[in-house]
PDB file of all heavy atoms in Angstrom:
ATOM      1  N   LEU A 276      90.105 143.983 121.117  1.00  0.00           N
ATOM      2  CA  LEU A 276      91.522 143.835 120.781  1.00  0.00           C
ATOM      3  C   LEU A 276      92.339 143.537 122.030  1.00  0.00           C
ATOM      4  O   LEU A 276      92.108 144.117 123.097  1.00  0.00           O
ATOM      5  CB  LEU A 276      92.050 145.111 120.125  1.00  0.00           C
ATOM      6  CG  LEU A 276      91.474 145.494 118.764  1.00  0.00           C
ATOM      7  CD1 LEU A 276      92.050 146.826 118.316  1.00  0.00           C
ATOM      8  CD2 LEU A 276      91.776 144.421 117.726  1.00  0.00           C
ATOM      9  N   TYR A 277      93.314 142.636 121.873  1.00  0.00           N
ATOM     10  CA  TYR A 277      94.229 142.312 122.952  1.00  0.00           C
ATOM     11  C   TYR A 277      95.669 142.358 122.434  1.00  0.00           C
ATOM     12  O   TYR A 277      95.915 142.275 121.233  1.00  0.00           O
ATOM     13  CB  TYR A 277      93.941 140.912 123.515  1.00  0.00           C
ATOM     14  CG  TYR A 277      92.617 140.809 124.243  1.00  0.00           C
ATOM     15  CD1 TYR A 277      91.462 140.415 123.564  1.00  0.00           C
ATOM     16  CD2 TYR A 277      92.517 141.116 125.592  1.00  0.00           C
ATOM     17  CE1 TYR A 277      90.243 140.317 124.222  1.00  0.00           C
ATOM     18  CE2 TYR A 277      91.312 141.022 126.270  1.00  0.00           C
ATOM     19  CZ  TYR A 277      90.174 140.626 125.579  1.00  0.00           C
ATOM     20  OH  TYR A 277      88.977 140.545 126.232  1.00  0.00           O
ATOM     21  N   LEU A 278      96.597 142.511 123.384  1.00  0.00           N
ATOM     22  CA  LEU A 278      98.038 142.493 123.102  1.00  0.00           C
ATOM     23  C   LEU A 278      98.435 143.689 122.228  1.00  0.00           C
ATOM     24  O   LEU A 278      97.926 144.789 122.403  1.00  0.00           O
ATOM     25  CB  LEU A 278      98.453 141.156 122.495  1.00  0.00           C
ATOM     26  CG  LEU A 278      98.093 139.917 123.332  1.00  0.00           C
ATOM     27  CD1 LEU A 278      98.568 138.650 122.637  1.00  0.00           C
ATOM     28  CD2 LEU A 278      98.628 140.005 124.732  1.00  0.00           C
ATOM     29  N   HIS A 279      99.330 143.463 121.272  1.00  0.00           N
ATOM     30  CA  HIS A 279      99.862 144.568 120.463  1.00  0.00           C
ATOM     31  C   HIS A 279     100.309 143.999 119.127  1.00  0.00           C
ATOM     32  O   HIS A 279     100.061 142.841 118.818  1.00  0.00           O
ATOM     33  CB  HIS A 279     101.039 145.232 121.184  1.00  0.00           C
ATOM     34  CG  HIS A 279     102.105 144.260 121.604  1.00  0.00           C
ATOM     35  ND1 HIS A 279     102.125 143.675 122.849  1.00  0.00           N
ATOM     36  CD2 HIS A 279     103.177 143.746 120.946  1.00  0.00           C
ATOM     37  CE1 HIS A 279     103.161 142.848 122.945  1.00  0.00           C
ATOM     38  NE2 HIS A 279     103.808 142.876 121.796  1.00  0.00           N
ATOM     39  N   GLY A 280     100.978 144.818 118.321  1.00  0.00           N
ATOM     40  CA  GLY A 280     101.535 144.334 117.069  1.00  0.00           C
ATOM     41  C   GLY A 280     100.687 144.588 115.843  1.00  0.00           C
ATOM     42  O   GLY A 280     101.047 144.134 114.753  1.00  0.00           O
ATOM     43  N   LEU A 281      99.574 145.308 115.977  1.00  0.00           N
ATOM     44  CA  LEU A 281      98.807 145.646 114.780  1.00  0.00           C
ATOM     45  C   LEU A 281      99.624 146.578 113.887  1.00  0.00           C
ATOM     46  O   LEU A 281     100.475 147.332 114.377  1.00  0.00           O
ATOM     47  CB  LEU A 281      97.503 146.342 115.167  1.00  0.00           C
ATOM     48  CG  LEU A 281      96.348 145.451 115.638  1.00  0.00           C
ATOM     49  CD1 LEU A 281      95.165 146.310 116.055  1.00  0.00           C
ATOM     50  CD2 LEU A 281      95.926 144.479 114.544  1.00  0.00           C
ATOM     51  N   PRO A 282      99.416 146.532 112.577  1.00  0.00           N
ATOM     52  CA  PRO A 282     100.100 147.495 111.700  1.00  0.00           C
ATOM     53  C   PRO A 282      99.910 148.914 112.209  1.00  0.00           C
ATOM     54  O   PRO A 282      98.816 149.290 112.653  1.00  0.00           O
ATOM     55  CB  PRO A 282      99.410 147.269 110.348  1.00  0.00           C
ATOM     56  CG  PRO A 282      98.965 145.847 110.391  1.00  0.00           C
ATOM     57  CD  PRO A 282      98.570 145.601 111.820  1.00  0.00           C
ATOM     58  N   TYR A 283     100.970 149.712 112.159  1.00  0.00           N
ATOM     59  CA  TYR A 283     100.989 151.022 112.819  1.00  0.00           C
ATOM     60  C   TYR A 283      99.825 151.905 112.392  1.00  0.00           C
ATOM     61  O   TYR A 283      99.223 152.597 113.220  1.00  0.00           O
ATOM     62  CB  TYR A 283     102.316 151.712 112.526  1.00  0.00           C
ATOM     63  CG  TYR A 283     102.628 152.850 113.470  1.00  0.00           C
ATOM     64  CD1 TYR A 283     103.269 152.608 114.678  1.00  0.00           C
ATOM     65  CD2 TYR A 283     102.297 154.163 113.154  1.00  0.00           C
ATOM     66  CE1 TYR A 283     103.565 153.645 115.563  1.00  0.00           C
ATOM     67  CE2 TYR A 283     102.586 155.198 114.024  1.00  0.00           C
ATOM     68  CZ  TYR A 283     103.220 154.933 115.227  1.00  0.00           C
ATOM     69  OH  TYR A 283     103.495 155.961 116.094  1.00  0.00           O
ATOM     70  N   ALA A 284      99.517 151.889 111.108  1.00  0.00           N
ATOM     71  CA  ALA A 284      98.479 152.790 110.597  1.00  0.00           C
ATOM     72  C   ALA A 284      97.101 152.470 111.154  1.00  0.00           C
ATOM     73  O   ALA A 284      96.237 153.359 111.234  1.00  0.00           O
ATOM     74  CB  ALA A 284      98.444 152.731 109.073  1.00  0.00           C
ATOM     75  N   MET A 285      96.877 151.227 111.538  1.00  0.00           N
ATOM     76  CA  MET A 285      95.542 150.850 112.016  1.00  0.00           C
ATOM     77  C   MET A 285      95.518 150.517 113.505  1.00  0.00           C
ATOM     78  O   MET A 285      94.452 150.255 114.059  1.00  0.00           O
ATOM     79  CB  MET A 285      95.016 149.655 111.216  1.00  0.00           C
ATOM     80  CG  MET A 285      95.842 148.390 111.364  1.00  0.00           C
ATOM     81  SD  MET A 285      95.282 147.041 110.291  1.00  0.00           S
ATOM     82  CE  MET A 285      95.678 147.692 108.670  1.00  0.00           C
ATOM     83  N   ALA A 286      96.669 150.561 114.166  1.00  0.00           N
ATOM     84  CA  ALA A 286      96.712 150.239 115.592  1.00  0.00           C
ATOM     85  C   ALA A 286      96.042 151.348 116.406  1.00  0.00           C
ATOM     86  O   ALA A 286      96.196 152.529 116.100  1.00  0.00           O
ATOM     87  CB  ALA A 286      98.156 150.062 116.042  1.00  0.00           C
ATOM     88  N   PRO A 287      95.306 150.993 117.465  1.00  0.00           N
ATOM     89  CA  PRO A 287      94.703 152.025 118.319  1.00  0.00           C
ATOM     90  C   PRO A 287      95.780 152.775 119.094  1.00  0.00           C
ATOM     91  O   PRO A 287      96.910 152.294 119.261  1.00  0.00           O
ATOM     92  CB  PRO A 287      93.805 151.214 119.254  1.00  0.00           C
ATOM     93  CG  PRO A 287      94.414 149.853 119.289  1.00  0.00           C
ATOM     94  CD  PRO A 287      94.989 149.625 117.925  1.00  0.00           C
ATOM     95  N   ASP A 288      95.427 153.946 119.595  1.00  0.00           N
ATOM     96  CA  ASP A 288      96.403 154.790 120.286  1.00  0.00           C
ATOM     97  C   ASP A 288      97.004 154.115 121.507  1.00  0.00           C
ATOM     98  O   ASP A 288      98.159 154.380 121.855  1.00  0.00           O
ATOM     99  CB  ASP A 288      95.753 156.115 120.696  1.00  0.00           C
ATOM    100  CG  ASP A 288      95.588 157.066 119.518  1.00  0.00           C
ATOM    101  OD1 ASP A 288      96.256 156.835 118.483  1.00  0.00           O
ATOM    102  OD2 ASP A 288      94.807 158.019 119.623  1.00  0.00           O
ATOM    103  N   VAL A 289      96.248 153.240 122.182  1.00  0.00           N
ATOM    104  CA  VAL A 289      96.780 152.616 123.395  1.00  0.00           C
ATOM    105  C   VAL A 289      97.984 151.724 123.093  1.00  0.00           C
ATOM    106  O   VAL A 289      98.773 151.411 123.982  1.00  0.00           O
ATOM    107  CB  VAL A 289      95.697 151.795 124.129  1.00  0.00           C
ATOM    108  CG1 VAL A 289      94.683 152.710 124.769  1.00  0.00           C
ATOM    109  CG2 VAL A 289      95.042 150.787 123.197  1.00  0.00           C
ATOM    110  N   GLN A 290      98.133 151.291 121.836  1.00  0.00           N
ATOM    111  CA  GLN A 290      99.319 150.519 121.450  1.00  0.00           C
ATOM    112  C   GLN A 290     100.491 151.417 121.077  1.00  0.00           C
ATOM    113  O   GLN A 290     101.611 150.931 120.909  1.00  0.00           O
ATOM    114  CB  GLN A 290      98.997 149.581 120.283  1.00  0.00           C
ATOM    115  CG  GLN A 290      98.037 148.463 120.623  1.00  0.00           C
ATOM    116  CD  GLN A 290      97.930 147.413 119.528  1.00  0.00           C
ATOM    117  OE1 GLN A 290      98.839 147.244 118.708  1.00  0.00           O
ATOM    118  NE2 GLN A 290      96.817 146.698 119.494  1.00  0.00           N
ATOM    119  N   LYS A 291     100.254 152.739 120.960  1.00  0.00           N
ATOM    120  CA  LYS A 291     101.298 153.656 120.491  1.00  0.00           C
ATOM    121  C   LYS A 291     101.644 154.753 121.489  1.00  0.00           C
ATOM    122  O   LYS A 291     102.671 155.422 121.320  1.00  0.00           O
ATOM    123  CB  LYS A 291     100.867 154.287 119.156  1.00  0.00           C
ATOM    124  CG  LYS A 291     100.712 153.271 118.028  1.00  0.00           C
ATOM    125  CD  LYS A 291     100.349 153.918 116.712  1.00  0.00           C
ATOM    126  CE  LYS A 291      98.913 154.346 116.652  1.00  0.00           C
ATOM    127  NZ  LYS A 291      98.482 154.726 115.291  1.00  0.00           N
ATOM    128  N   GLN A 292     100.835 154.957 122.498  1.00  0.00           N
ATOM    129  CA  GLN A 292     101.099 156.003 123.492  1.00  0.00           C
ATOM    130  C   GLN A 292     101.825 155.386 124.686  1.00  0.00           C
ATOM    131  O   GLN A 292     101.296 154.495 125.352  1.00  0.00           O
ATOM    132  CB  GLN A 292      99.790 156.656 123.930  1.00  0.00           C
ATOM    133  CG  GLN A 292      99.156 157.470 122.809  1.00  0.00           C
ATOM    134  CD  GLN A 292      97.823 158.072 123.196  1.00  0.00           C
ATOM    135  OE1 GLN A 292      97.171 157.624 124.130  1.00  0.00           O
ATOM    136  NE2 GLN A 292      97.405 159.100 122.471  1.00  0.00           N
ATOM    137  N   VAL A 293     103.044 155.871 124.935  1.00  0.00           N
ATOM    138  CA  VAL A 293     103.926 155.228 125.908  1.00  0.00           C
ATOM    139  C   VAL A 293     104.413 156.236 126.954  1.00  0.00           C
ATOM    140  O   VAL A 293     104.454 157.440 126.694  1.00  0.00           O
ATOM    141  CB  VAL A 293     105.142 154.588 125.194  1.00  0.00           C
ATOM    142  CG1 VAL A 293     104.701 153.443 124.311  1.00  0.00           C
ATOM    143  CG2 VAL A 293     105.916 155.628 124.381  1.00  0.00           C
ATOM    144  N   PRO A 294     104.789 155.752 128.129  1.00  0.00           N
ATOM    145  CA  PRO A 294     105.315 156.641 129.169  1.00  0.00           C
ATOM    146  C   PRO A 294     106.790 156.960 128.959  1.00  0.00           C
ATOM    147  O   PRO A 294     107.563 156.122 128.490  1.00  0.00           O
ATOM    148  CB  PRO A 294     105.116 155.824 130.454  1.00  0.00           C
ATOM    149  CG  PRO A 294     105.174 154.397 129.994  1.00  0.00           C
ATOM    150  CD  PRO A 294     104.601 154.374 128.606  1.00  0.00           C
ATOM    151  N   TRP A 295     107.165 158.190 129.302  1.00  0.00           N
ATOM    152  CA  TRP A 295     108.558 158.651 129.292  1.00  0.00           C
ATOM    153  C   TRP A 295     108.773 159.400 130.603  1.00  0.00           C
ATOM    154  O   TRP A 295     108.224 160.488 130.805  1.00  0.00           O
ATOM    155  CB  TRP A 295     108.800 159.553 128.093  1.00  0.00           C
ATOM    156  CG  TRP A 295     110.224 160.062 127.928  1.00  0.00           C
ATOM    157  CD1 TRP A 295     111.148 160.291 128.907  1.00  0.00           C
ATOM    158  CD2 TRP A 295     110.863 160.414 126.700  1.00  0.00           C
ATOM    159  NE1 TRP A 295     112.321 160.751 128.379  1.00  0.00           N
ATOM    160  CE2 TRP A 295     112.176 160.835 127.020  1.00  0.00           C
ATOM    161  CE3 TRP A 295     110.468 160.417 125.370  1.00  0.00           C
ATOM    162  CZ2 TRP A 295     113.075 161.269 126.046  1.00  0.00           C
ATOM    163  CZ3 TRP A 295     111.375 160.841 124.404  1.00  0.00           C
ATOM    164  CH2 TRP A 295     112.669 161.259 124.728  1.00  0.00           C
ATOM    165  N   LEU A 296     109.535 158.810 131.504  1.00  0.00           N
ATOM    166  CA  LEU A 296     109.797 159.387 132.817  1.00  0.00           C
ATOM    167  C   LEU A 296     111.261 159.799 132.932  1.00  0.00           C
ATOM    168  O   LEU A 296     112.137 159.179 132.315  1.00  0.00           O
ATOM    169  CB  LEU A 296     109.475 158.383 133.932  1.00  0.00           C
ATOM    170  CG  LEU A 296     108.112 157.686 133.875  1.00  0.00           C
ATOM    171  CD1 LEU A 296     107.969 156.710 135.041  1.00  0.00           C
ATOM    172  CD2 LEU A 296     106.981 158.708 133.888  1.00  0.00           C
ATOM    173  N   THR A 297     111.515 160.815 133.742  1.00  0.00           N
ATOM    174  CA  THR A 297     112.877 161.312 133.943  1.00  0.00           C
ATOM    175  C   THR A 297     113.088 161.644 135.408  1.00  0.00           C
ATOM    176  O   THR A 297     112.237 162.303 136.030  1.00  0.00           O
ATOM    177  CB  THR A 297     113.140 162.572 133.099  1.00  0.00           C
ATOM    178  OG1 THR A 297     112.830 162.313 131.729  1.00  0.00           O
ATOM    179  CG2 THR A 297     114.609 162.996 133.212  1.00  0.00           C
ATOM    180  N   TRP A 298     114.210 161.181 135.955  1.00  0.00           N
ATOM    181  CA  TRP A 298     114.646 161.592 137.289  1.00  0.00           C
ATOM    182  C   TRP A 298     116.084 162.084 137.182  1.00  0.00           C
ATOM    183  O   TRP A 298     116.933 161.410 136.584  1.00  0.00           O
ATOM    184  CB  TRP A 298     114.567 160.435 138.275  1.00  0.00           C
ATOM    185  CG  TRP A 298     115.156 160.773 139.626  1.00  0.00           C
ATOM    186  CD1 TRP A 298     114.534 161.383 140.662  1.00  0.00           C
ATOM    187  CD2 TRP A 298     116.508 160.545 140.043  1.00  0.00           C
ATOM    188  NE1 TRP A 298     115.399 161.549 141.714  1.00  0.00           N
ATOM    189  CE2 TRP A 298     116.627 161.040 141.369  1.00  0.00           C
ATOM    190  CE3 TRP A 298     117.628 159.969 139.436  1.00  0.00           C
ATOM    191  CZ2 TRP A 298     117.815 160.979 142.087  1.00  0.00           C
ATOM    192  CZ3 TRP A 298     118.814 159.905 140.152  1.00  0.00           C
ATOM    193  CH2 TRP A 298     118.902 160.403 141.462  1.00  0.00           C
ATOM    194  N   LEU A 299     116.367 163.246 137.728  1.00  0.00           N
ATOM    195  CA  LEU A 299     117.699 163.836 137.685  1.00  0.00           C
ATOM    196  C   LEU A 299     118.152 164.129 139.112  1.00  0.00           C
ATOM    197  O   LEU A 299     117.411 164.742 139.888  1.00  0.00           O
ATOM    198  CB  LEU A 299     117.698 165.135 136.883  1.00  0.00           C
ATOM    199  CG  LEU A 299     117.107 165.099 135.472  1.00  0.00           C
ATOM    200  CD1 LEU A 299     117.038 166.503 134.899  1.00  0.00           C
ATOM    201  CD2 LEU A 299     117.936 164.198 134.570  1.00  0.00           C
ATOM    202  N   SER A 300     119.347 163.688 139.448  1.00  0.00           N
ATOM    203  CA  SER A 300     119.893 164.091 140.740  1.00  0.00           C
ATOM    204  C   SER A 300     120.198 165.587 140.685  1.00  0.00           C
ATOM    205  O   SER A 300     120.422 166.155 139.597  1.00  0.00           O
ATOM    206  CB  SER A 300     121.165 163.307 141.048  1.00  0.00           C
ATOM    207  OG  SER A 300     122.215 163.707 140.172  1.00  0.00           O
ATOM    208  N   PRO A 301     120.215 166.285 141.818  1.00  0.00           N
ATOM    209  CA  PRO A 301     120.542 167.718 141.798  1.00  0.00           C
ATOM    210  C   PRO A 301     121.891 168.002 141.146  1.00  0.00           C
ATOM    211  O   PRO A 301     122.037 168.982 140.405  1.00  0.00           O
ATOM    212  CB  PRO A 301     120.540 168.090 143.283  1.00  0.00           C
ATOM    213  CG  PRO A 301     119.618 167.107 143.920  1.00  0.00           C
ATOM    214  CD  PRO A 301     119.819 165.828 143.162  1.00  0.00           C
ATOM    215  N   ALA A 302     122.871 167.112 141.390  1.00  0.00           N
ATOM    216  CA  ALA A 302     124.198 167.327 140.807  1.00  0.00           C
ATOM    217  C   ALA A 302     124.153 167.174 139.289  1.00  0.00           C
ATOM    218  O   ALA A 302     124.814 167.923 138.563  1.00  0.00           O
ATOM    219  CB  ALA A 302     125.198 166.344 141.409  1.00  0.00           C
ATOM    220  N   PHE A 303     123.363 166.216 138.794  1.00  0.00           N
ATOM    221  CA  PHE A 303     123.269 166.035 137.340  1.00  0.00           C
ATOM    222  C   PHE A 303     122.552 167.218 136.699  1.00  0.00           C
ATOM    223  O   PHE A 303     122.957 167.703 135.634  1.00  0.00           O
ATOM    224  CB  PHE A 303     122.539 164.734 137.009  1.00  0.00           C
ATOM    225  CG  PHE A 303     122.603 164.358 135.562  1.00  0.00           C
ATOM    226  CD1 PHE A 303     123.623 163.550 135.078  1.00  0.00           C
ATOM    227  CD2 PHE A 303     121.663 164.832 134.648  1.00  0.00           C
ATOM    228  CE1 PHE A 303     123.686 163.219 133.733  1.00  0.00           C
ATOM    229  CE2 PHE A 303     121.732 164.514 133.306  1.00  0.00           C
ATOM    230  CZ  PHE A 303     122.760 163.696 132.846  1.00  0.00           C
ATOM    231  N   ALA A 304     121.482 167.687 137.346  1.00  0.00           N
ATOM    232  CA  ALA A 304     120.756 168.841 136.806  1.00  0.00           C
ATOM    233  C   ALA A 304     121.663 170.063 136.742  1.00  0.00           C
ATOM    234  O   ALA A 304     121.626 170.832 135.768  1.00  0.00           O
ATOM    235  CB  ALA A 304     119.530 169.122 137.661  1.00  0.00           C
ATOM    236  N   ALA A 305     122.504 170.231 137.770  1.00  0.00           N
ATOM    237  CA  ALA A 305     123.436 171.358 137.764  1.00  0.00           C
ATOM    238  C   ALA A 305     124.492 171.180 136.689  1.00  0.00           C
ATOM    239  O   ALA A 305     124.876 172.139 136.005  1.00  0.00           O
ATOM    240  CB  ALA A 305     124.096 171.485 139.137  1.00  0.00           C
ATOM    241  N   ARG A 306     124.962 169.958 136.539  1.00  0.00           N
ATOM    242  CA  ARG A 306     125.975 169.666 135.521  1.00  0.00           C
ATOM    243  C   ARG A 306     125.460 170.012 134.134  1.00  0.00           C
ATOM    244  O   ARG A 306     126.169 170.560 133.294  1.00  0.00           O
ATOM    245  CB  ARG A 306     126.342 168.186 135.614  1.00  0.00           C
ATOM    246  CG  ARG A 306     127.410 167.708 134.639  1.00  0.00           C
ATOM    247  CD  ARG A 306     127.514 166.179 134.670  1.00  0.00           C
ATOM    248  NE  ARG A 306     128.726 165.750 134.008  1.00  0.00           N
ATOM    249  CZ  ARG A 306     129.849 165.380 134.638  1.00  0.00           C
ATOM    250  NH1 ARG A 306     129.914 165.411 135.957  1.00  0.00           N
ATOM    251  NH2 ARG A 306     130.903 164.994 133.949  1.00  0.00           N
ATOM    252  N   GLN A 307     124.185 169.695 133.894  1.00  0.00           N
ATOM    253  CA  GLN A 307     123.561 169.934 132.591  1.00  0.00           C
ATOM    254  C   GLN A 307     122.917 171.316 132.490  1.00  0.00           C
ATOM    255  O   GLN A 307     122.426 171.678 131.431  1.00  0.00           O
ATOM    256  CB  GLN A 307     122.496 168.869 132.348  1.00  0.00           C
ATOM    257  CG  GLN A 307     123.040 167.495 132.011  1.00  0.00           C
ATOM    258  CD  GLN A 307     123.103 167.289 130.524  1.00  0.00           C
ATOM    259  OE1 GLN A 307     122.168 167.598 129.795  1.00  0.00           O
ATOM    260  NE2 GLN A 307     124.218 166.774 130.045  1.00  0.00           N
ATOM    261  N   GLN A 308     122.894 172.065 133.618  1.00  0.00           N
ATOM    262  CA  GLN A 308     122.215 173.357 133.676  1.00  0.00           C
ATOM    263  C   GLN A 308     120.754 173.238 133.234  1.00  0.00           C
ATOM    264  O   GLN A 308     120.238 174.039 132.457  1.00  0.00           O
ATOM    265  CB  GLN A 308     122.944 174.404 132.825  1.00  0.00           C
ATOM    266  CG  GLN A 308     124.355 174.709 133.315  1.00  0.00           C
ATOM    267  CD  GLN A 308     124.990 175.875 132.594  1.00  0.00           C
ATOM    268  OE1 GLN A 308     124.305 176.638 131.926  1.00  0.00           O
ATOM    269  NE2 GLN A 308     126.298 176.034 132.731  1.00  0.00           N
ATOM    270  N   LEU A 309     120.091 172.181 133.746  1.00  0.00           N
ATOM    271  CA  LEU A 309     118.692 171.931 133.401  1.00  0.00           C
ATOM    272  C   LEU A 309     117.776 172.598 134.419  1.00  0.00           C
ATOM    273  O   LEU A 309     117.978 172.496 135.632  1.00  0.00           O
ATOM    274  CB  LEU A 309     118.419 170.429 133.358  1.00  0.00           C
ATOM    275  CG  LEU A 309     118.899 169.717 132.089  1.00  0.00           C
ATOM    276  CD1 LEU A 309     118.888 168.206 132.267  1.00  0.00           C
ATOM    277  CD2 LEU A 309     118.033 170.110 130.897  1.00  0.00           C
ATOM    278  N   ASP A 310     116.772 173.265 133.922  1.00  0.00           N
ATOM    279  CA  ASP A 310     115.796 173.974 134.737  1.00  0.00           C
ATOM    280  C   ASP A 310     114.601 173.049 134.981  1.00  0.00           C
ATOM    281  O   ASP A 310     113.832 172.738 134.064  1.00  0.00           O
ATOM    282  CB  ASP A 310     115.351 175.241 134.004  1.00  0.00           C
ATOM    283  CG  ASP A 310     114.450 176.121 134.857  1.00  0.00           C
ATOM    284  OD1 ASP A 310     113.737 175.587 135.718  1.00  0.00           O
ATOM    285  OD2 ASP A 310     114.471 177.351 134.650  1.00  0.00           O
ATOM    286  N   ALA A 311     114.441 172.599 136.221  1.00  0.00           N
ATOM    287  CA  ALA A 311     113.379 171.651 136.553  1.00  0.00           C
ATOM    288  C   ALA A 311     112.002 172.240 136.303  1.00  0.00           C
ATOM    289  O   ALA A 311     111.092 171.550 135.823  1.00  0.00           O
ATOM    290  CB  ALA A 311     113.516 171.204 138.008  1.00  0.00           C
ATOM    291  N   ALA A 312     111.810 173.507 136.632  1.00  0.00           N
ATOM    292  CA  ALA A 312     110.507 174.147 136.413  1.00  0.00           C
ATOM    293  C   ALA A 312     110.170 174.198 134.930  1.00  0.00           C
ATOM    294  O   ALA A 312     109.015 174.005 134.531  1.00  0.00           O
ATOM    295  CB  ALA A 312     110.511 175.550 137.006  1.00  0.00           C
ATOM    296  N   CYS A 313     111.169 174.449 134.111  1.00  0.00           N
ATOM    297  CA  CYS A 313     110.953 174.467 132.649  1.00  0.00           C
ATOM    298  C   CYS A 313     110.534 173.093 132.150  1.00  0.00           C
ATOM    299  O   CYS A 313     109.612 172.965 131.344  1.00  0.00           O
ATOM    300  CB  CYS A 313     112.230 174.935 131.962  1.00  0.00           C
ATOM    301  SG  CYS A 313     112.202 174.789 130.160  1.00  0.00           S
ATOM    302  N   LEU A 314     111.206 172.042 132.630  1.00  0.00           N
ATOM    303  CA  LEU A 314     110.861 170.682 132.212  1.00  0.00           C
ATOM    304  C   LEU A 314     109.434 170.337 132.622  1.00  0.00           C
ATOM    305  O   LEU A 314     108.679 169.742 131.842  1.00  0.00           O
ATOM    306  CB  LEU A 314     111.843 169.687 132.807  1.00  0.00           C
ATOM    307  CG  LEU A 314     113.258 169.682 132.226  1.00  0.00           C
ATOM    308  CD1 LEU A 314     114.169 168.769 133.030  1.00  0.00           C
ATOM    309  CD2 LEU A 314     113.239 169.247 130.763  1.00  0.00           C
ATOM    310  N   ALA A 315     109.064 170.692 133.847  1.00  0.00           N
ATOM    311  CA  ALA A 315     107.713 170.407 134.323  1.00  0.00           C
ATOM    312  C   ALA A 315     106.669 171.120 133.472  1.00  0.00           C
ATOM    313  O   ALA A 315     105.598 170.579 133.193  1.00  0.00           O
ATOM    314  CB  ALA A 315     107.582 170.811 135.786  1.00  0.00           C
ATOM    315  N   ALA A 316     106.984 172.324 133.038  1.00  0.00           N
ATOM    316  CA  ALA A 316     106.046 173.091 132.211  1.00  0.00           C
ATOM    317  C   ALA A 316     105.886 172.481 130.823  1.00  0.00           C
ATOM    318  O   ALA A 316     104.894 172.743 130.141  1.00  0.00           O
ATOM    319  CB  ALA A 316     106.512 174.543 132.103  1.00  0.00           C
TER     320      ALA A 316
END
């Protein structure tokens, strides 16, 4: 198999598993009261 676009029910996981990355400045994390250690866990 190459590329993507297979019907969702039959598509392999590599076509459906995607990266989600997050970077927060210290000021933004403080503004949101986000706990970096909690997010990492």
Side-chain angles (χ1 to χ4, degrees):
L276 295 176
Y277 292 92
L278 304 181
H279 53 267
L281 280 177
Y283 198 87
M285 63 185 67
D288 284 343
V289 289
Q290 293 190 24
K291 296 183 284 192
Q292 292 177 340
V293 294
W295 182 331
L296 310 179
T297 306
W298 173 85
L299 307 173
S300 69
F303 190 91
R306 181 190 194 101
Q307 286 265 314
Q308 297 188 15
L309 282 167
D310 187 331
C313 172
L314 288 173

